Amino acid sequence: MRQAVPEDLPTLRALAQASLVHDSDAEAIVELLWSSAADGCRIVLEHTDTDNGADGARVIGFALGSLRAAHDALPATGHIELVIVDPEHRERGHGRELLADLERRLIAAGATRLRIRGNPPHFAWPGIDIRYTPAVCMAAAAGYERLLDCNSMLVDPAAADLATEKDEQRLTGAGIEVRRGRPEDEQALRAWCDEEFGGTWGQEAAMALRKSPPTLHVAVRDGAFLGFAGHGMQRADMFGPMGTAEAARGHGIGAVLLRRCLADQRDAGIEVAEIGWVGPARFYSKTVGARLGRVFWAFEKSVAFEKSVAFEKSVAFEKSVAP
């Protein structure tokens, strides 16, 4: 086991591509989670195959973790972002070994609880896609408790009705302009998102505005923001977040913003867009024909539990070697 270095990235991308069979953008996922990983929380597992005359060690697995600092009375949280083992080397305890080492590193970095859940603004999933069943089983075996369920919805942008011209004309008549976000919007939009919604939506909106062209659309009236929606902040095929100011709801702003974003994704050649960490399923189903798709389970474990397990193992070892 050792810390990963940038030169390992080609190998990590290849391992991810072989393992993340339910995600078509495995290489981009590695890049995303690598960039947001905490210092010391990028680790690889190496194996030397002396039987076949191999020269040197080969990376057969890796793990990435991130840290969310304590805030708003919430404790510092270590996030298990990704644990991958070469398919040829599974069922030998390597995944659990990587997970345990990553947990120790996150705790040493200050985490007082551990989660297998997306860590916005840089996240690939809200939890474990339950189709990756071995990962779910490993989490349970390592003492994690199921925290909550999250859903994504799927939509085919090419098949959906994404026309907005009539609705935009209606909004224009009400003094509301809908347009693509601009880089110069960043400071004001982020401040508005922070005040209106809280969380990390302001940071995610800023990420979209820095793309070329910006992957975000806004609704404004008299220079004031009323709503926003973005896509591709974390992954190219993902839509969201989206929000409309409470006082501006009921005008159909959200539907227009959603359709404009999906039209961007359609024009970029994305065949299936994923509405991540979805809330109002009925709205998305009614507006663009979205259907419930992926199911994720999020997990949590207290550091106290991890430390108690480590203590019990230590006691058992001392007893086993006692004269």
Side-chain angles (χ1 to χ4, degrees), residues 49-123:
D49 188 2
T50 55
D51 293 338
N52 294 325
D55 183 18
R58 180 168 71 92
V59 173
I60 61 168
F62 71 97
L64 302 172
S66 65
L67 186 69
R68 177 172 288 274
H71 68 288
D72 298 332
L74 297 176
T77 303
H79 286 261
I80 309 300
E81 299 286 5
L82 191 57
V83 178
I84 290 215
V85 175
D86 186 329
E88 296 181 2
H89 290 268
R90 291 178 187 167
E91 301 297 332
R92 304 177 193 178
H94 295 321
R96 183 68 188 95
E97 185 180 358
L98 281 162
L99 176 60
D101 191 67
L102 183 57
E103 289 173 335
R104 287 192 291 271
R105 291 168 183 265
L106 288 167
I107 292 170
T112 56
R113 68 176 177 182
L114 299 167
R115 280 187 167 181
I116 305 177
R117 185 188 183 194
N119 184 10
H122 301 94
F123 66 94

Side-chain angles (χ1 to χ4, degrees), residues 176 192 196-197 221 225-227 243-251 253:
I176 300 171
W192 175 75
E196 188 72 33
F197 307 110
R221 180 165 55 194
F225 292 106
L226 301 180
T244 302
E246 187 173 356
R249 294 171 189 169
H251 293 286
I253 292 172

